[in-house]
Amino acid sequence: MILWRLTLFFLKIGTLTFGGGMAMIPFIHQELVEGLHWLSPREFSEAIALGQITPGPIAISATFIGFKLAGWAGAVAATIAVFLPSFLMTVWASQQLERLRSNRILQAAVQGIALCVIGTVLAAGFDLARAALTGGRALQGLLVATVALLLSLYSPLRVVFIVLGAGVAGYLFF
Amino acid sequence: MSLWPIFRVFLLLGSIGFGGPMPMLALIHQEVVERRKWISGTQFAEGVALGQTLPGPIAVDAVSYIGYRLSGWPGAVVATFAFILPSFFLMILLSLLYFQWGISPGGEGVLRGIGFAVVGLILAASLRMGKTAVKDLWGFPPILGSFLLLFLFHVPILLVLGMGALWGIVRHISKEKKEI
C-alpha cells in the first residue's frame, strides 16, 4: 500500500538526513525519482522550489510529495514521518547532552558523514542539471543556474526572491 | 512555563522564517534569546550544535531543543508542532493548486526557469556546507569520493554515508596515534 511505503520512506529519510534538510534531496532523488519513478524529475524540482519559497524548513517538500502520491492522508503522513525521528532524537539528546559531547568516536563519525553528505548533495545537483538541460536552450539555462548560485552565495537576497526571479527569467527565456 | 506562549511564538517564527536554516536560526535567536530571554545564548548555541549533529532539519531540531528546555516533553511537542504548522498549510495549498487544479504560474517557461535556479541553489548549498565542514585537505577525498560514487555509479546513499562514518573514525584514531 502506497501510504504505508510512503510513511516508511520518509521515516527513513528523517532518520538518516544528517546535515540539515538539503541532505534529504539526494535520497529523494535516488529512491523516488530514479528508483521507483513515483516522481518525475520535473515534479521533484518543483517540490524543492516550493519547499524553498514557503517559510520554514525545506523538509516541508515532503508534504507536497506526500500529497501527490496519496492525497491528504499522504501529505499528513509524509510530514509527520519526516520530522518525527529527528524530533525524538533531539529530545533524547537534550537529556543526554553531557554524555554525547564527550563521546569523541561519535563526533568523528558525524564529521565524516557530514563530508559525504556534501558529495551526495553535489551529485543530486548535477543529476538535476542533466535532467534540466535535456529540454534545450542550455545556454540560457546555465545562465539562470549560475546567477542563482552566485546570488545565493554572495548576496543578502532571500531565496524566495531568487526563485521568483528565476520564474520571471524563465518566462522570458523559454 | 505554560504552553500557550510557546505555541504563539513558534507559530509566528514558523510563518516568517524564510531562506534556509541560518536566517531562520538568526530570527529564532532574536525572539527567544534577545527579546524574551527564555534561554541563554549558550543554551541556544547548544541547541544549534545539536541540530547540526543530529539528523533532520537544523532549525527544527533547535526548536525542539528550545521547547524541551522551556517545558519538557510537552514544550518540545508544542514548539515543534507550532513551528511546522504554517509551512505545512501553505504547502497543502500549493499542492492543491499544482496537482488538483493543475495551476502552475506562467506555465512551461516559468517552471523551467525555476528548475534551473534550483540547480544553482543546490550547488550553492553544498558549497556553503563545505565551508563549515571542511577543516583541512583531508576533508576533500570523502566529498569527491561520495560525489563520484553517487553520480557515476549510483551507489546506495546509505552505503556512502556509512563509508563517511568509517572515514571519520579512522581519521580520528590515526590522529590520536600520532599525538601519542
Side-chain angles (χ1 to χ4, degrees):
Chain A
M1 188 182 152
I2 197 159
L3 192 62
W4 180 236
R5 287 177 72 188
L6 186 74
T7 307
L8 280 184
F9 174 76
F10 278 109
L11 276 175
K12 186 171 92 178
I13 283 205
T15 313
L16 300 171
T17 49
F18 289 90
M22 253 315 168
M24 267 176 47
I25 285 164
F27 269 102
I28 297 179
H29 186 256
Q30 188 172 57
E31 302 209 3
L32 296 191
V33 181
E34 287 184 336
L36 296 166
H37 299 287
W38 282 2
L39 219 58
S40 72
R42 161 65 56 83
E43 287 165 343
F44 173 63
S45 114
E46 291 292 291
I48 299 167
L50 292 179
Q52 298 211 307
I53 56 176
T54 50
I58 188 174
I60 204 72
S61 308
T63 310
F64 181 81
I65 296 170
F67 191 95
K68 194 233 153 166
L69 295 171
W72 283 89
V76 174
T79 310
I80 293 177
V82 83
F83 290 112
L84 189 65
S86 64
F87 171 77
L88 294 176
M89 279 187 258
T90 302
V91 175
W92 174 79
S94 306
Q95 299 165 327
Q96 314 280 327
L97 216 53
E98 294 308 316
R99 228 158 17 114
L100 290 176
R101 223 181 343 226
S102 56
N103 189 336
R104 299 186 37 205
I105 294 288
L106 186 73
Q107 303 268 351
V110 167
Q111 272 171 23
I113 293 175
L115 290 169
C116 284
V117 163
I118 298 167
T120 67
V121 173
L122 263 179
F126 274 73
D127 270 325
L128 265 184
R130 196 162 51 184
L133 285 171
T134 53
R137 302 231 177 187
L139 219 59
Q140 288 93 326
L142 285 178
L143 186 68
V144 172
T146 311
V147 170
L149 172 84
L150 294 175
L151 285 177
S152 165
L153 284 181
Y154 299 113
S155 82
L157 210 61
R158 290 180 168 193
V159 194
V160 206
F161 298 114
I162 299 177
V163 172
L164 294 179
V168 175
Y171 185 75
L172 300 172
F173 282 175
F174 301 110
Chain B
M1 185 166 178
S2 82
L3 296 175
W4 173 240
I6 299 180
F7 180 80
R8 236 185 27 212
V9 165
F10 283 104
L11 191 71
L12 177 76
L13 287 170
S15 322
I16 56 176
F18 282 103
M22 292 312 147
M24 264 192 277
L25 286 171
L27 207 68
I28 297 170
H29 186 269
Q30 251 173 30
E31 188 66 25
V32 176
V33 179
E34 291 165 36
R35 223 168 80 84
R36 295 180 185 266
K37 301 191 171 49
W38 279 354
I39 60 169
S40 72
T42 319
Q43 282 179 320
F44 183 83
E46 234 159 37
V48 175
L50 213 58
Q52 284 171 325
T53 310
L54 293 173
I58 297 166
V60 182
D61 287 353
V63 165
S64 310
Y65 164 85
I66 295 168
Y68 182 80
R69 279 277 158 272
L70 292 176
S71 216
W73 271 97
V77 173
V78 167
T80 311
F81 179 74
F83 189 66
I84 295 168
L85 207 59
S87 51
F88 173 75
F89 278 119
L90 203 58
M91 207 56 165
I92 289 276
L93 185 72
L94 290 167
S95 307
L96 279 171
L97 286 173
Y98 189 79
F99 292 120
Q100 301 288 87
W101 302 315
I103 299 170
S104 42
E108 190 60 20
V110 173
L111 292 187
R112 288 206 62 204
I114 290 177
F116 280 110
V118 167
V119 170
L121 291 173
I122 290 181
L123 296 181
S126 61
L127 288 176
R128 263 198 303 266
M129 289 159 98
K131 227 160 66 183
T132 52
V134 176
K135 297 196 172 75
D136 50 31
L137 284 176
W138 286 102
F140 288 103
I143 296 181
L144 194 68
S146 58
F147 170 73
L148 292 175
L149 281 176
L150 217 62
F151 187 64
L152 297 179
F153 305 111
H154 299 274
V155 173
I157 292 184
L158 212 49
L159 199 67
V160 174
L161 297 187
M163 286 158 73
L166 210 62
W167 169 275
I169 293 170
V170 169
R171 282 281 306 143
H172 174 71
I173 293 172
S174 68
K175 250 192 283 184
E176 277 198 335
K177 275 212 177 116
K178 249 184 253 165
E179 278 163 21
I180 295 164

